[in-house]
Amino acid sequence: MNVLKTIAVTIALTSVTSLGSFSRASQPRVSPTQVLHRTVEIEGMNIFYREAGPQDAPTILLLHGFPTSSHMFRNLIPALADTYHVIAPDYLGFGYSSAPSPDDFDYTFDNLANVVEEFTEALGLTKYSIYLMDYGAPVGFRLAVKHPERVQTLIVQNGNAYEEGIDNDFWKPLKAYWKDRSPENGDSLRALLTLDATKWQYLQGVRNTESVSPDTWSHVQPLLDRPGNQEIQLALFFSYGSNPPLYPQWQEYFRNHQPPTLIVWGKNDLIFPAAGAYPYSRDLKNLEFHLLDTGHFALEEDGAQIASLIREFLGKQLTQ
């Protein structure tokens, strides 16, 4: 009997030890490059964001364009997160963030920038590099002008700050809307919110259309098609007219503060063509300049190259 009891106790202790080991082994472990999907409340509204990388590493704030969201950075984030703390929010009205009606929130670029500013402060971001693409440029440059001490570097990908960048046929109907916010001029822009237009933005100017996943427009378009979202987008189309008058202020910021800047620009883009990339060299002395043989959403086709250029650029600039 004593032998049987000893065997039973041994088995029980072994089982407890094994369960303890299993319990510890089953604890969730977050890889440095694991992308986390989070939400923070700003002014009573939810801001969705993607985050990865060590909290104590240099931060890169990724600011998306139209008509996408932080989804455009889904591959870039893990490509950088082993070395950098990478954060990409969705603006109000985009992606998975709240989308209050224009009656409840005034959709202007000033207000988008204010919310992103509050977002950075809620997350305790005091120093960061900014990746600016499309709408991300007017949002990010507002942040930079207001808080130049927070900006370590700029990474500009098809993001405009010069008149040359919007002196093309794409902008003619938008400029007409800025001058006259009539229902007729607004209705003429609704075609930019259709599936055909969304696919065109992703595919125009790329070398190989097969390199662009249909998951892109399949993610974007249902969000654009939400009830009331067209009015949100029309409000921002109109508000974009507030950006060109600020170009001289942004250029003055470049000249006075000389933020180290990396340009990675899809040169075949018909919305923000390469004509808008070259003028940065007038005002910035510490400038690394790359024109890529692709279109508006350069990350879709040249994401690996852009990630490599960012790593090399930041490796030099943030250790000086």
Side-chain angles (χ1 to χ4, degrees):
M1 287 295 293
N2 289 337
V3 172
L4 292 175
K5 186 181 293 185
T6 300
I7 293 172
V9 169
T10 301
I11 291 172
L13 289 173
T14 302
S15 299
V16 169
T17 303
S18 298
L19 286 171
S21 299
F22 176 79
S23 176
R24 287 192 296 272
S26 64
Q27 292 296 316
R29 296 181 181 180
V30 178
S31 162
T33 58
Q34 175 68 53
V35 180
L36 303 177
H37 304 84
R38 292 173 161 161
T39 301
V40 64
E41 185 175 304
I42 303 294
E43 296 184 8
M45 298 171 289
N46 290 328
I47 298 297
F48 172 87
Y49 63 103
R50 302 168 197 254
E51 181 175 18
Q55 294 281 330
D56 58 351
T59 296
I60 308 173
L61 178 64
L62 305 175
L63 299 179
H64 68 80
F66 165 86
T68 183
S69 64
S70 62
H71 180 263
M72 70 169 280
F73 300 116
R74 67 199 180 280
N75 298 320
L76 183 64
I77 294 172
L80 299 174
D82 63 322
T83 306
Y84 300 100
H85 178 214
V86 192
I87 295 181
D90 291 349
Y91 312 137
L92 289 176
F94 292 81
Y96 299 120
S97 288
S98 295
S101 77
D103 293 331
D104 298 320
F105 180 81
D106 187 12
Y107 284 91
T108 66
F109 280 88
D110 283 344
N111 286 337
L112 290 187
N114 289 339
V115 171
V116 171
E117 178 187 6
E118 291 185 48
F119 167 82
T120 62
E121 292 171 351
L123 269 59
L125 307 182
T126 58
K127 295 281 187 181
Y128 42 77
S129 297
I130 311 180
Y131 187 114
L132 312 101
M133 188 270 172
D134 192 302
Y135 276 14
V139 171
F141 288 143
R142 280 171 167 82
L143 289 182
V145 167
K146 190 172 183 180
H147 298 291
E149 75 285 355
R150 299 180 184 178
V151 179
Q152 294 178 295
T153 74
L154 299 174
I155 303 160
V156 183
Q157 188 250 298
N158 299 73
N160 195 56
Y162 295 87
E163 288 286 350
E164 292 95 322
I166 55 171
D167 185 19
N168 57 69
D169 289 343
F170 178 87
W171 291 93
K172 288 180 179 178
L174 287 150
K175 290 178 178 179
Y177 192 44
W178 302 342
K179 291 180 179 179
D180 177 12
R181 196 179 186 179
S182 67
E184 294 76 17
N185 284 339
D187 288 342
S188 73
L189 299 176
R190 293 183 189 272
L192 296 175
L193 305 174
T194 62
L195 177 59
D196 285 346
T198 300
K199 289 177 68 173
W200 176 84
Q201 287 204 57
Y202 279 102
L203 298 178
Q204 181 274 319
V206 303
R207 299 184 302 280
N208 179 9
T209 58
E210 293 180 351
S211 68
V212 182
S213 171
D215 294 341
T216 52
W217 54 81
S218 295
H219 168 77
V220 168
Q221 198 59 43
L223 297 170
L224 278 178
D225 291 341
R226 287 176 292 180
N229 194 264
Q230 284 204 1
E231 305 314 311
I232 291 174
Q233 303 307 328
L234 287 178
L236 287 171
F237 286 166
F238 179 74
S239 180
Y240 202 95
S242 68
N243 296 325
L246 295 179
Y247 289 172
Q249 184 183 108
W250 302 348
Q251 294 156 21
E252 183 179 11
Y253 158 77
F254 300 153
R255 291 190 295 271
N256 291 343
H257 294 277
Q258 291 297 321
T261 300
L262 170 67
I263 288 184
V264 280
W265 199 289
K267 68 178 183 179
N268 305 327
D269 186 2
L270 294 182
I271 301 172
F272 294 116
Y278 292 111
Y280 282 93
S281 63
R282 293 200 299 253
D283 297 311
L284 290 163
K285 297 176 182 177
N286 189 353
L287 177 67
E288 188 174 318
F289 191 93
H290 300 272
L291 292 182
L292 308 177
D293 184 20
T294 190
H296 186 65
F297 286 110
L299 285 172
E300 295 301 322
E301 192 166 37
D302 288 330
Q305 182 181 358
I306 290 172
S308 178
L309 290 169
I310 290 173
R311 295 175 73 95
E312 182 180 352
F313 171 74
L314 294 182
K316 291 183 294 187
Q317 297 300 333
L318 298 183
T319 55
Q320 291 180 355

